[in-house]
Amino acid sequence: MPHDCGFLADLSLSPDQISFERADRDRFATDYGTHAADASRPDAVVYPASTADVSTVLAAANDRGVPVTPYAAGSSTEGNAVPVEGGISLSMERLDEILAFRPDDLQVDVEPGVVGGDLEAHVATEGLCFPAFPQSAAFSTVGGMVANDASGIRAVKYGELREWVLELEVVRADGTVLEVGSKAKKSSAGYNLVDLFVGSEGTLGVVTRVTLELAVEPARTLAGRAIFDSLDDATAAITDAIRAGIDAATVELVDSLTAEIANSYTDSGLPSEPMVFFELHGRGVDREMDALVDVLRNHDPVRVDTAVEEAERERLWRARREIGQALLEYDPDRELEVVGDVTVPIGAYAEMVRFVGEVSASFDLPIPAFGHAGDGNLHYAILANLDDEDERERVSEASGRIVQRALDAGGTCTGEHGVGVGKREYLRREFEPAVIETMRSLKATLDPEGILNPGKMFD
Amino acid sequence: MPHDCGFLADLSLSPDQISFERADRDRFATDYGTHAADASRPDAVVYPASTADVSTVLAAANDRGVPVTPYAAGSSTEGNAVPVEGGISLSMERLDEILAFRPDDLQVDVEPGVVGGDLEAHVATEGLCFPAFPQSAAFSTVGGMVANDASGIRAVKYGELREWVLELEVVRADGTVLEVGSKAKKSSAGYNLVDLFVGSEGTLGVVTRVTLELAVEPARTLAGRAIFDSLDDATAAITDAIRAGIDAATVELVDSLTAEIANSYTDSGLPSEPMVFFELHGRGVDREMDALVDVLRNHDPVRVDTAVEEAERERLWRARREIGQALLEYDPDRELEVVGDVTVPIGAYAEMVRFVGEVSASFDLPIPAFGHAGDGNLHYAILANLDDEDERERVSEASGRIVQRALDAGGTCTGEHGVGVGKREYLRREFEPAVIETMRSLKATLDPEGILNPGKMFD
């Protein structure tokens, strides 16, 4: 349903901040996933340059009931930023300043359009880093990371992004500007509004400024890799390492199909065998590595490399980062239809990985499995020939089975990608109706007209 | 205003679960703080033994508009659990079971009345620990910790309690039972309701079950102590250590007056000089300790002990834990009127501590300062002769100045104790009216009759 957005011209925006052009509207109609509907093109694109611009647009849209969907870098995979009900796409790309860097506080204030990689480079000048970045940080932006509570390969040690968000400036649907949270590292002052907005996928408010906590760059980093004959050995080694309290920053699983796919795309030099990558941070990494190797050796590894040099490490992590692209290009006859990120308690991880293998076999679908294993986070992709109706149905059924298994183990349908359009059905499976109803009531309180990113999550 | 609670007898509770006795009502009229009003005695005390009991009582009280204030161990300091508007005190003491312990998942499910120390002992049998406990854990319970988002001396490394809460069963004001969160270590599935309930001080719902993440007991622990000539040297050493990325579990500041007070209460053997206690965890602690000592030595310590034995460490931490009691008993002519826990960005910590000293001098009040310095969390106490009206006014003014200074530095009025009654004024200073109004609207959504712990926070 098209929405009349002519009112935008009457607001205090300059002409170059508003576009009704088809090319611009097309650019904001999709994300990196496959969940954009035909009808999901915005009617207009607005490029705010300040918090006041965001407030002005929201207040006016709210008065008219016109949907507004914030759009960061568009690297979401579940249609999170796709304006499925049309209206306005609110591009955050001009809000891209690093506003203040306070290295002695280990803090930085940024606008939501700042690209993760740019922020990393900026804070590195003072020996600091932002350890909660997702794999997409070279092009994804802080605003999108906050919206989806992103996390990445270092979450084993450093946790989710939300743990690093101290303060937010957020504009409510009616245009009211809120500053929530505190620049203190911890606070018990009132309700935790920061964590309500983080991960809310732009459905409760539009984030216009973020104060992030930073970490000091590790004094030393060691990386390594263990290759196993079987995936079961690999996952058993991982769960044992976590149970032993190995202080790892990163524990990544790569199965043999994923390794093969990565090799087809880039010169990753990965053997086509189940592997575990790991990275340890800190002054005492040598002792930690000794303990980790002891655990790994209990599971008959084919080979353990513990002193991966920086260049080689970079090559490994590049291969890991590029898996998404590699999956897209692997098989010209099959599209990347499902990108899963279920997460389960660590004790259930090995069984979860095994189950994905069983689903792959029984549904006759290639399902490469990989992921941030140290958190219990399992990524998997389902590659499918979408012209084949039977195959499409098998994909849907296989995906549902995998998610259900994760939920039965007490886990979640999404560890870091968010719900968007693609996981709405799974969200309803994950929570009882009373919980969904509670989420809806919070949404109705903060956005009574329902203008913010409609059609997502439980909507 | 008394509330008629006769309806309780008609509910499906056994007679021993309901009390109208004065002695019981008195027991729930206060907490460890000084903020209980004369009118704060409950009209009835209910002892639920199940989630169903909680739901039954809430639904009935909600229908009648009768206040219900959950009460855990009563170790809060700001009147958080005091039923200032009467009605029902809901004692959690019979909900004290450890329901399930899953060591391979590093998880435990507990009822809210479980005492921290008992939980610690239980999970230690499998080499696990719960590192986010507050100093009061020997007697405080999980429910109260969750309600106030407690934290303690290990928060430098392990963070606030909320980071360890995975899943909650919560009963809404109308009796609806919700299971929020996930047993996965991370999740981006829908709104983060867990973090909305954690720290809400029983004003949004009553927690009846908590799934906590656990940590593996550190393979090695080193503790130490540095003594300085001046408080400025001590705080400069602390902020430098954090800026250098020292991976400390604990960094505690104790000023000379606090040391003297601790010594007066127990055989702590602390010299009456500014001190920093620290504890390091992990397999690589020796290297970390070397780096920490290098930092400390840059600030002219009188003495640095780096190999504090376990018995001595226990004596130190006991002295630290007992500071609260020591303060109560220190001066028979002065009461413990203010227990502060402001928290500021770490770069502002030294200045904050200095300011407290200035306030102490200019208002002629003894204000011992100590705290979880590694987080920027500063505890201070104001001891006052409350019979002296002029002194009472000076206490109030001094307390306000200290809090305002923390807020001006971007900090918070409470790092871990919560708002309760005592910090309501400071909460209004910390947040703009639009933020307070947003908190109020969430409260009205989840508790439309306003029965849950009324008169707290912004109420």
Side-chain angles (χ1 to χ4, degrees), chain A residues 103-107 126-128 148-152 155-157 160 162-163 167 172 176-193 195-201 203-204 216-217 220 239 242-247 282-288 291 341 343-348 372 374-377 409-419 427 430-432 434-435 437-443 445-446 457-458, chain B residues 103-107 126-128 148-152 155-157 160 162-163 167 172 176-193 195-201 203-204 216-217 220 239 242-247 282-288 291 341 343-348 372 374-377 409-419 427 430-432 434-435 437-443 445-446 457-458:
Chain A
D104 288 344
D105 289 336
L106 282 66
Q107 292 182 8
E126 292 283 348
L128 299 175
N148 295 293
D149 187 24
S151 55
V156 187
K157 185 179 177 82
E160 296 163 276
R162 67 169 69 254
E163 295 174 32
E167 197 175 66
R172 284 178 52 165
T176 308
V177 180
L178 303 179
E179 191 174 76
V180 301
S182 163
K183 293 190 175 76
K185 191 177 153 73
K186 66 184 192 187
S187 173
S188 293
Y191 300 153
N192 185 336
L193 299 181
D195 281 290
L196 185 60
F197 287 110
V198 174
S200 67
E201 304 187 20
T203 66
L204 296 179
V216 177
E217 277 184 359
R220 290 186 60 213
T239 51
I242 299 298
R243 183 66 179 85
I246 301 294
D247 182 18
R283 294 179 175 87
V285 283
D286 296 298
R287 291 294 176 86
E288 207 69 42
D341 69 325
T343 306
V344 295
I346 192 69
H372 313 317
D375 303 316
N377 189 189
T412 181
C413 67
T414 175
E416 51 183 32
H417 294 167
V419 176
L427 191 78
E430 183 162 340
F431 295 110
E432 296 285 332
V435 174
E437 184 268 320
T438 301
M439 291 184 188
R440 266 190 229 280
S441 68
L442 297 176
K443 163 77 173 175
T445 302
L446 295 178
M457 284 194 184
F458 42 72
Chain B
D104 287 346
D105 289 336
L106 281 66
Q107 291 181 11
E126 291 284 349
L128 298 175
N148 295 294
D149 187 24
S151 55
V156 188
K157 186 180 176 79
E160 295 164 275
R162 67 168 70 255
E163 295 173 33
E167 197 173 67
R172 283 178 53 164
T176 307
V177 180
L178 303 179
E179 192 175 74
V180 301
S182 162
K183 293 190 176 75
K185 191 177 152 72
K186 66 185 192 186
S187 173
S188 293
Y191 300 155
N192 185 336
L193 299 181
D195 280 290
L196 186 59
F197 287 109
V198 174
S200 67
E201 303 187 20
T203 65
L204 296 179
V216 177
E217 277 184 358
R220 290 187 60 213
T239 52
I242 299 298
R243 182 66 180 85
I246 301 294
D247 182 18
R283 294 178 175 87
V285 283
D286 297 298
R287 291 295 176 85
E288 207 68 42
D341 68 324
T343 306
V344 295
I346 192 69
H372 314 317
D375 302 317
N377 189 189
T412 181
C413 67
T414 173
E416 51 184 32
H417 295 167
V419 176
L427 190 78
E430 182 162 342
F431 296 110
E432 296 284 333
V435 174
E437 184 269 319
T438 300
M439 291 184 188
R440 266 190 229 279
S441 68
L442 297 176
K443 163 77 174 175
T445 302
L446 294 177
M457 284 194 184
F458 41 74

Side-chain angles (χ1 to χ4, degrees), chain B residues 131-162:
Chain B
F133 277 138
Q135 290 296 87
S136 58
F139 49 92
S140 63
T141 62
V142 172
M145 297 176 203
V146 167
N148 295 294
D149 187 24
S151 55
I153 65 168
R154 292 178 167 185
V156 188
K157 186 180 176 79
Y158 301 99
E160 295 164 275
L161 186 115
R162 67 168 70 255

Side-chain angles (χ1 to χ4, degrees), chain A residues 228-243:
Chain A
F228 295 87
D229 276 329
S230 82
L231 201 52
D232 279 348
D233 286 332
T235 53
I238 289 166
T239 51
D240 274 10
I242 299 298
R243 183 66 179 85

Side-chain angles (χ1 to χ4, degrees), chain A residues 98-118:
Chain A
I98 295 172
L99 298 167
F101 178 30
R102 296 179 297 279
D104 288 344
D105 289 336
L106 282 66
Q107 292 182 8
V108 65
D109 302 337
V110 300
E111 290 185 323
V114 169
V115 172
D118 294 343

